[in-house]
């Protein structure tokens, strides 16, 4: 900062040489860890896709997170939760790396101990993943060994370039030698970090190249529906700017799951097993599934983490085969009351057996809005169950259905404080005007959506500033399993106003104004927005 000469200058004082050493030691730690991480990414790309230390540690953190953390992360970052987690891991790793560098410089071998400890956590994370193989140990072990070796080498370099203790004893020749060593240290550090970054990029390219699932999906064409869905009625959709489209395009469909790296399943290797309390275990592969008479249905999927007014909900036309038919082949025993569906990555959901055997459109879906399921939405096969939140029904990348009892098995989120059953709650949302919008006085169109999957919506009312409830006009329903658009023409007068919406379901149940948090079984309350009228 105020140093008269740059540190690499031959005439630098001992004090100036000593000052920056802590930072340089931290830098050595960062470079060493970068080299280790990078080579581990490369190794993962070559032999163990999915076992990258960053991803396995991230996955472990996701699995360890209690319900309130999930809720907090989703409320802060929404569907950007995974990017937020990766940034968090990178920051923690950087802090630990810098700490390891300083410790190794001041008190060897404690810096290496930090690295070995972190490496063992990554190793444990890699080997406890669902479907882990012994090869998955290679990337974390490599990261640990490389980081420890590079750290030792760099801190030795740094010590060689250390200034003599007393300023008085620094001869120009000694100072010049120290400065040269310091430049060498910086060069080695730069090379280590550079190798790490290049190796990480190489690893990314390799995993991208080996993505058989992407290629298979790109070549795959959906078979036609044997039972086409009822067409979406023209009257199901008001043409209003800013109103949520009645069918959510795939690219805009919310995504919520615990999968830090999207499972990539080769459909030719995919099977679904039905096991547990059944008379007859069933196993079906992808070709067999596609050869069955597939049915089309429109179902609105909602996340239990959707707060009142939130956007973790979407509506799609799904193509799939009724789960009820496959369960009929398996013949569940009389005592069974639940199906635990399991995905390829080990995630589970508990669905009441009845919701899968009654006449609703509970399907094993292969198509979404005319396309094969997108990878993030469960390719090649997922479950879609009308009327239940996703966490208890909508298993993506599904590979097993275990017929069981609620008393016997507990699903992923139920072991983390969420309810074991999750029927979707009656709710409604204002889409236009937007929160805090300014509109012109006169007739203002207020519009939004309302849903009560598998029951249906019979009325929607809008209230201005706590006054009377005004009946909104409902668009045509597609079915009881989908959301419904509504609109109301508001004679708006100048000033600030609050608009609230309230839906009534087909059973006459009126949406409650009582506030409930999203945990443990879904939010309640009325969506309210502020608008100023000029
Ligand atoms: N395998 C797997 N399936 C899963 C999940 C998951 O974490 N893993 N999350 C569920 C949750 S909580 C929801 S809300 C829906 C979301 O489905 P979408 O991402 O296709 O919108 O998927 C469900 N299926
Ligand atoms: Mo969810």
């Amino acid at each position: 900062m105020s140093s008269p000469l740059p540190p690499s200058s031959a005439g630098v004082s001992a004090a100036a040489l000593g000052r920056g050493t802590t930072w340089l030691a931290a830098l050595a730690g960062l470079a060493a860890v970068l080299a280790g991480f990078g080579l581990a990414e490369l190794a993962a790309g070559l032999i163990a896709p999915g076992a990258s230390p960053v991803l396995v540690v991230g996955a472990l953190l996701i699995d360890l997170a209690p319900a309130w953390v999930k809720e907090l992360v989703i409320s802060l970052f929404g569907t950007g939760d995974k990017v937020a987690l990766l940034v968090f891991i990178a920051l923690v790793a950087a802090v630990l790396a810098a700490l390891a560098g300083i410790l190794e410089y001041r008190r060897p071998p404690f810096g290496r101990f930090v690295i070995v400890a972190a490496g063992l956590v990554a190793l444990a994370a890699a080997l406890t993943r669902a479907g882990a193989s012994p090869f998955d140990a290679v990337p974390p072990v490599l990261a640990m060994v490389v980081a420890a070796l590079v750290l030792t080498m760099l801190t030795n370099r740094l010590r060689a370039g250390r200034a003599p203790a007393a300023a008085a004893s620094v001869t120009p020749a000694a100072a010049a030698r120290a400065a040269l060593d310091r430049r060498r240290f910086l060069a080695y550090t730069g090379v280590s970090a550079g190798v790490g970054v290049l190796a990480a990029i190489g690893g990314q390219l390799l995993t991208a190249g080996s993505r058989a699932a992407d290629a298979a999906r790109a070549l795959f064409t959906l078979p036609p529906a044997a039972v086409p869905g009822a067409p979406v009625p023209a009257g199901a959709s008001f043409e209003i700017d800013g109103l949520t489209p009645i069918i959510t395009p795939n690219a805009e469909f919310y995504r919520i799951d615990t999968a830090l790296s999207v499972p990539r399943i080769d459909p030719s290797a995919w099977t679904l097993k039905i096991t547990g309390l059944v008379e007859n275990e069933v196993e079906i592969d992808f070709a067999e599934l596609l050869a069955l008479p597939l049915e089309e249905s429109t179902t609105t999927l909602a996340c239990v983490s959707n707060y009142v007014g939130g956007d973790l909900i979407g509506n799609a036309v799904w193509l799939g085969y009724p789960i009820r038919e496959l369960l009929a082949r398996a013949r569940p025993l009389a005592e069974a009351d639940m199906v635990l569906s399991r995905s390829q990555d080990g995630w589970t959901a508990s669905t009441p057996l009845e919701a899968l055997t009654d006449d609703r459109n509970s399907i094993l879906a292969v198509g979404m809005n005319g396309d094969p399921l997108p990878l993030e939405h469960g390719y090649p096969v997922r479950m879609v169950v009308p009327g239940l939140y996703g966490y208890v029904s909508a298993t993506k990348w599904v590979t097993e259905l275990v017929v069981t009892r609620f008393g016997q098995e507990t699903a992923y989120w139920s072991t983390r404080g969420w309810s074991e059953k999750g029927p979707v709650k009656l709710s409604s949302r204002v889409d236009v005007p937007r929160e805090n919008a300014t509109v012109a006085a006169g007739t203002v169109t207020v519009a939004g959506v309302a849903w009560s999957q598998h029951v249906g919506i019979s009325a929607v009312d809008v209230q201005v500033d706590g006054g009377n409830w005004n009946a909104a006009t409902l668009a045509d329903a597609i079915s009881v399993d989908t959301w419904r658009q509504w609109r109301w023409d508001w004679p708006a007068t100048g000033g600030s106003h609050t608009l609230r919406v309230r839906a009534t379901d087909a059973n006459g149940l009126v949406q409650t104004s009582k506030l409930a948090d999203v945990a443990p079984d879904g939010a309640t309350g009325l969506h309210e927005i502020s608008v100023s009228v000029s």
Side-chain angles (χ1 to χ4, degrees), residues 62 70 74 79 82 253-259 263 301-305 312-314 318 342-349 368 373-374 376-378 382-383 389-398 412-413:
I62 290 174
K70 176 206 174 190
I74 288 181
T79 52
K82 297 193 176 64
F253 209 96
Y254 80 97
R255 172 190 170 197
I256 290 289
D257 55 59
T258 61
L301 205 66
C303 182
V304 68
S305 297
L312 299 180
I313 177 165
W318 307 95
R342 184 174 283 125
S343 67
Q344 190 244 17
D345 64 357
W347 186 88
T348 52
M368 181 177 183
L373 283 180
E376 319 77 65
H377 294 291
R382 77 171 305 166
M383 287 171 53
Y389 286 123
Y391 84 105
V392 287
S393 69
T395 306
K396 307 192 268 190
W397 315 290
V398 64
Y412 188 94
W413 284 115

Side-chain angles (χ1 to χ4, degrees), residues 93-116:
V95 169
L96 282 179
L99 191 76
I102 296 169
L103 270 177
E104 184 64 21
Y105 181 68
R106 299 233 176 111
R107 299 211 198 306
F110 282 97
R112 272 169 282 171
F113 287 175
V114 171
I115 285 179
V116 169

Side-chain angles (χ1 to χ4, degrees), residues 77-98:
F77 303 106
T79 52
D81 55 343
K82 297 193 176 64
V83 176
L85 176 65
L86 292 176
V87 169
F88 172 76
I89 293 174
L91 288 178
V92 171
V95 169
L96 282 179

